[in-house]
Amino acid sequence: MITELAPLPPTGVRTDVGGCPVCPHETDSHDTIASRFCAATAAGGLHRGCACPARSPETEEEEEIMTSEVVFVSRYDQRVVLVRDVLKADTGLTEAACQALAVRLLHLIDEAPEKVRR
């Protein structure tokens, strides 16, 4: 009969009775994925987030950090903002007028033939 031996935890990690050496949860609260994740983290001596399905203040805090929303801004929108800010600084126009003028200017520049732009 073949039996599997549990690997020894690396030095410097938690070794509480029943506690995971990597995350703040009990080992018996781990599902298959969390067990493999924590074992690989411990074996590699890594410091990573928690993959456990169990909830704890540590897990919820990591979740808040990792789920921050990323706002995409296209290159075109970046160019419009750049031109709008220059117009706003150098003219007495309102922000709405500067925005409209920036869009028109960029449209004209984009539509102009290459030879004319240089």
Side-chain angles (χ1 to χ4, degrees):
M1 178 176 190
I2 299 174
T3 59
E4 291 185 23
L5 298 175
L8 294 173
T11 55
V13 295
R14 264 183 52 201
T15 55
D16 302 358
V17 174
C20 176
V22 176
C23 73
H25 305 112
E26 296 296 319
T27 307
D28 59 354
S29 69
H30 287 54
D31 61 4
T32 306
I33 293 172
S35 295
R36 291 181 65 195
F37 183 86
C38 288
T41 301
L46 305 171
H47 176 71
R48 305 191 283 188
C50 184
C52 298
R55 293 285 170 219
S56 73
E58 293 86 359
T59 306
E60 290 173 6
E61 184 179 308
E62 287 176 5
E63 226 171 66
E64 288 175 15
I65 293 169
M66 294 174 65
T67 57
S68 62
E69 187 175 326
V70 177
V71 178
F72 173 75
V73 180
S74 70
R75 300 276 294 165
Y76 174 76
D77 289 336
Q78 291 174 7
R79 291 171 60 209
V80 169
V81 168
L82 181 67
V83 173
R84 182 196 66 206
D85 291 345
V86 169
L87 290 171
K88 193 167 145 183
D90 293 345
T91 65
L93 299 173
T94 64
E95 188 166 340
C98 289
Q99 176 75 20
L101 186 55
V103 169
R104 289 188 66 198
L105 286 171
L106 284 176
H107 178 71
L108 288 172
I109 292 170
D110 289 342
E111 295 295 317
E114 186 72 26
K115 290 180 182 180
V116 174
R117 282 191 264 167
R118 291 181 180 229

